[in-house]
Amino acid sequence: MIDVKHIHKTFYVPGEVKALVDVSASIEPGEVVVVCGPSGSGKSTFLRCLNRLERADSGHIIIDGIDVLHPKTNINKVRAEVGMVFQSFNLFPHKTVFENIALAQHVVRKRSKKECAKKTAFLLDKVGISDKSAAYPDNLSGGQQQRVAIARALAMDPKVMLFDEPTSALDPEMIGEVLEVMKKLAQEGMTMVVVTHEMGFAREVADRIIFMDAGGIVEVGPPEHFFTNPEHERTKLFLNQIL
Amino acid sequence: MENTLKKPPIIRPPHYNLWVTVFVVFILLIIGSFYYSTQRIEYIWRWNRMPIYFAYLDIVKITSEIDGEVDDITLDGKDAHITVKGMGESETYTVPAKGVYVEDGELISPGDILATYEKWKPGLLIIGLWVTLELSLMATIFGVIIGVVGGLARISSNPAFRWTVMIYVELIRGSPLMVQIIIWYFVLGTVINDILSTYGLGRLSAFWYGVASLSCFAGAYVTEIVRAGIQSIHRGQTEAARSLGMTYAQSMRYIILPQALRSILPPLAGQFISLIKDSSLLGIIAIREVTKAAREAVTASLQPFELYIMLLLLYLVLTFSLSMFVQYLERRTAIK
Ligand SMILES: Nc1ncnc2c1ncn2[C@@H]1O[C@H](COP(=O)(O)OP(=O)(O)O)[C@@H](O)[C@H]1O
Ligand SMILES: [Mg+2]
């Protein structure tokens, strides 16, 4: 489903920051991959390179057979197939919850108003906030906002969902409700790449865990292996710090 | 328990009423001393002559076009039909019955008055005010178009767009509007009208060069306002829109610009209030906007004080109603 080969990404800010150094990974359809690692290790950059919010300097990214980095690729088509959920929700504050979810269906997928309404109602029910359809995002709690953001991404019927620390900006009591929605999604067979520090979620839901440090992938493995028997010193150090 | 809505008590500084009185006396003193000074130089105030600059009753004359004599006058309700018969030709004029000026059988030469009637006409100031409004409205529309395009080009990653707009903005903001108007009319206007006439097209009037200079001037400021408005929207908004597969244009149209509008509106209103005031400079290229009209009225009436005070009030009415309108718009676009 996703094939990443030897990508590099350097920021010039004005000093040189090597955010990604020779990163390769492969994600199968239906797989749930959790990416973890210390802050500044390049997790967000990796995720954002996948849908070209950041453009990798070199290497190849193939999603569902399409070469993301090829100049002739229509990136908007790719992005419509790749849902993304941000740490800070990024809902559209001037639109209602309903409009947040319906807008892109209409202007990108060209669905009729009626189809949009039906799909939106279905998704609102799925993430459990049907009663907030007419509310504006600023009037919702963080957990509700993030669930709307997930519904907004799902509305495009994406083949892959990317989550960048979806619960890091939430008050502790709201983390559960968002993880619950993500868990349900994973059970339905959605392909997911999730950057998170929620190790409980990783242990329970992930098929594989990628550990990143200093712009590179240090270790990849299934949760059992990752938590009980990590190979690398840096992975052990990281696990000691957060568990 | 009874829960009546009580207004919080108004806390006033000590001697509040005293200071209110001081204020009123101060204002009256200024007006009074101004009036006294005008008396000293023996200025005669004639406010009663002012209404004609707003509207006046004109006497319209209907004149004959042919030589002959009045053959027939028939009344038809409020109208009268006067038939003038000459050698081999005959004309019938329909005029208001009250204003018939001729009798049956009267000899008529071309240009003789057959009838007159009265009609309300707008005075000089009102005509000028209308021109000012037209100028400001058109410059506002073109200024917004230039500003939105300019603002988008200014934040574009394409250096050709970005630099062109940067030069444009610096050029306009760094030079006096008066000079820009002169260049538009006497330099660009001459060239453009020359080119137009070599292709057998009509000349553009001073009015259009006035609109062009004001639009360009406002456009530069609006460009900066739009740029700042767009940049005030958090990057995450664009990223969210683009990550859903929206194109750059779609994310601008549906997500960024509607949000930017709220922060753009107040400075934009200020810009257009200045535009109304700045249009008073257009008199120098012989556009008869309201300031020029007032100056003409002064030449004719020799009543400068009344006319210029009224001119001031007219501008105040325009700018004040515009700022009221914008406040209304701001309330409407506020996020619920
Ligand atoms: N847009 C950017 N401009 C400059 N530097 C950036 C940018 N995005 C990320 N970086 C830098 O790249 C490195 C990796 O960042 P990031 O991918 O956000 O890490 P993580 O998500 O793992 O915390 C950091 O040093 C960060 O400062
Ligand atoms: Mg991050």
Side-chain angles (χ1 to χ4, degrees):
Chain A
M1 171 78 17
I2 302 179
D3 232 335
V4 180
K5 285 185 193 137
H6 308 295
I7 58 168
H8 290 256
K9 176 73 189 175
T10 306
F11 292 108
Y12 300 92
V13 280
E16 215 185 48
V17 178
K18 290 195 163 125
L20 293 179
V21 185
D22 194 27
V23 170
S24 299
S26 159
I27 291 144
E28 301 303 316
E31 203 180 15
V32 177
V33 174
V34 163
V35 182
C36 61
S39 169
S41 57
K43 307 181 296 292
S44 298
T45 307
F46 172 67
L47 216 58
R48 292 158 60 82
C49 279
L50 294 182
N51 66 353
R52 225 168 84 182
L53 281 184
E54 302 289 358
R55 206 186 177 117
D57 301 329
S58 59
H60 291 279
I61 299 173
I62 314 288
I63 295 183
D64 202 24
I66 298 167
D67 185 350
V68 174
L69 293 175
H70 195 278
K72 291 229 169 87
T73 298
N74 181 350
I75 192 63
N76 297 316
K77 280 226 169 86
V78 178
R79 285 174 178 159
E81 307 294 338
V82 180
M84 188 163 208
V85 175
F86 302 85
Q87 179 175 350
S88 49
F89 326 136
N90 297 347
L91 291 178
F92 308 133
H94 61 305
K95 305 242 172 233
T96 62
V97 165
F98 180 90
E99 291 164 339
N100 263 277
I101 301 171
L103 179 67
Q105 300 184 52
H106 187 60
V107 303
V108 177
R109 287 280 192 231
K110 310 283 178 217
R111 290 182 191 146
S112 71
K113 289 250 148 84
K114 216 171 125 193
E115 281 176 281
C116 291
K118 203 172 139 200
K119 179 91 189 170
T120 303
F122 169 77
L123 287 168
L124 278 173
D125 183 51
K126 181 167 181 166
V127 300
I129 31 180
S130 298
D131 53 330
K132 297 290 184 192
S133 173
Y136 282 86
D138 286 350
N139 299 330
L140 301 184
S141 73
Q144 290 170 328
Q145 289 194 44
Q146 194 61 299
R147 284 184 281 152
V148 174
I150 293 172
R152 177 176 70 179
L154 289 176
M156 306 302 288
D157 293 319
K159 299 194 172 107
V160 187
M161 286 285 284
L162 310 176
F163 295 83
D164 191 0
E165 303 200 30
T167 56
S168 296
L170 296 178
D171 291 335
E173 73 271 18
M174 293 169 183
I175 292 177
E177 62 195 54
V178 172
L179 291 181
E180 208 50 48
V181 170
M182 291 167 62
K183 226 178 274 176
K184 209 157 67 178
L185 213 54
Q187 282 158 7
E188 286 169 10
M190 174 64 78
T191 311
M192 291 162 63
V193 184
V194 185
V195 175
T196 185
H197 295 296
E198 294 297 325
M199 288 303 133
F201 176 83
R203 205 190 291 262
E204 190 180 342
V205 183
D207 297 305
R208 271 188 306 153
I209 296 178
I210 294 179
F211 175 68
M212 287 183 74
D213 193 16
I217 294 181
V218 176
E219 188 160 350
V220 186
E224 332 49 279
H225 164 80
F226 186 81
F227 286 109
T228 53
N229 193 14
E231 281 171 29
H232 289 261
E233 253 344 281
R234 278 188 288 178
T235 319
K236 285 179 197 160
L237 209 64
F238 175 74
L239 285 174
N240 279 338
Q241 273 167 4
I242 66 161
L243 287 180
Chain B
M1 220 175 74
E2 197 184 11
N3 189 9
T4 49
L5 274 174
K6 270 193 199 150
K7 277 189 184 164
I10 298 165
I11 299 162
R12 288 185 164 150
H15 309 304
Y16 181 80
N17 288 332
L18 175 69
W19 287 109
V20 170
T21 318
V22 168
F23 169 74
V24 171
V25 169
F26 176 67
I27 296 292
L28 288 178
L29 217 60
I30 286 181
I31 296 172
S33 55
F34 173 65
Y35 182 74
Y36 176 71
S37 316
T38 62
Q39 293 300 303
R40 284 290 303 274
I41 61 161
E42 284 163 13
Y43 187 83
I44 301 163
W45 293 86
R46 292 204 176 92
W47 285 104
N48 59 328
R49 287 200 188 164
M50 292 303 110
I52 59 162
Y53 296 108
F54 290 86
Y56 63 95
L57 256 186
D58 191 28
I59 295 171
V60 184
K61 303 176 179 113
I62 297 167
T63 56
S64 171
E65 279 153 28
I66 58 170
D67 221 354
E69 72 180 64
V70 177
D71 186 48
D72 183 38
I73 301 177
T74 48
L75 290 174
D76 173 12
K78 281 190 170 177
D79 290 339
H81 305 287
I82 304 176
T83 309
V84 179
K85 198 164 186 181
M87 283 193 272
E89 53 180 350
S90 154
E91 285 276 356
T92 301
Y93 300 91
T94 302
V95 302
K98 274 197 282 180
V100 176
Y101 204 73
V102 290
E103 287 172 6
D104 227 350
E106 217 177 296
L107 288 176
I108 300 289
S109 322
D112 279 2
I113 296 167
L114 299 175
T116 60
Y117 63 93
E118 293 178 328
K119 191 182 168 195
W120 281 103
K121 289 221 169 142
L124 209 48
L125 284 184
I126 291 298
I127 295 173
L129 194 66
W130 180 246
V131 175
T132 292
L133 279 174
E134 272 183 322
L135 282 167
S136 310
L137 188 69
M138 289 202 203
T140 300
I141 293 168
F142 290 125
V144 167
I145 295 172
I146 294 173
V148 171
V149 174
L152 290 174
R154 179 70 181 71
I155 56 168
S156 147
S157 53
N158 182 326
F161 292 170
R162 203 170 60 228
W163 294 344
T164 306
V165 173
M166 278 163 74
I167 290 173
Y168 160 64
V169 170
E170 289 311 317
L171 210 62
I172 298 289
R173 295 210 301 188
S175 61
L177 176 57
M178 177 83 101
V179 175
Q180 292 172 30
I181 293 170
I182 291 172
I183 287 182
W184 266 104
Y185 187 61
F186 294 105
V187 180
L188 296 175
T190 310
V191 174
I192 292 169
N193 276 344
D194 254 22
I195 292 171
L196 285 179
S197 63
T198 57
Y199 287 100
L201 300 164
R203 302 165 60 83
L204 282 174
S205 68
F207 179 88
W208 290 107
Y209 292 106
V211 169
S213 56
L214 279 189
S215 307
C216 263
F217 179 74
Y221 287 87
V222 178
T223 294
E224 282 301 292
I225 293 171
V226 169
R227 179 192 60 77
I230 291 174
Q231 286 179 342
S232 74
I233 305 302
H234 192 264
R235 236 179 90 203
Q237 291 292 307
T238 314
E239 290 182 352
R242 298 304 303 273
S243 78
L244 289 165
M246 286 191 211
T247 62
Y248 176 80
Q250 286 169 338
S251 75
M252 273 294 157
R253 175 170 163 210
Y254 295 107
I255 307 303
I256 306 304
L257 287 178
Q259 291 185 66
L261 191 64
R262 273 182 313 126
S263 55
I264 286 175
L265 215 46
L268 201 59
Q271 189 55 48
F272 291 125
I273 288 172
S274 341
L275 196 65
I276 291 179
K277 297 185 285 182
D278 292 338
S279 71
S280 64
L281 287 173
L282 289 173
I284 56 166
I285 56 170
I287 298 175
R288 222 186 189 187
E289 40 67 52
V290 68
T291 303
K292 179 96 159 63
R295 289 170 59 188
E296 285 178 14
V298 168
T299 316
S301 71
L302 301 177
Q303 298 294 151
F305 290 8
E306 296 90 331
L307 280 163
Y308 288 144
I309 289 171
M310 280 198 311
L311 180 62
L312 185 84
L313 294 177
L314 282 177
Y315 276 114
L316 278 176
V317 168
L318 283 189
T319 53
F320 186 71
S321 16
L322 184 60
S323 69
M324 284 289 116
F325 176 65
V326 173
Q327 278 185 20
Y328 162 79
L329 279 188
E330 270 173 53
R331 256 178 279 129
R332 288 230 358 221
T333 56
I335 279 191
K336 290 112 209 165

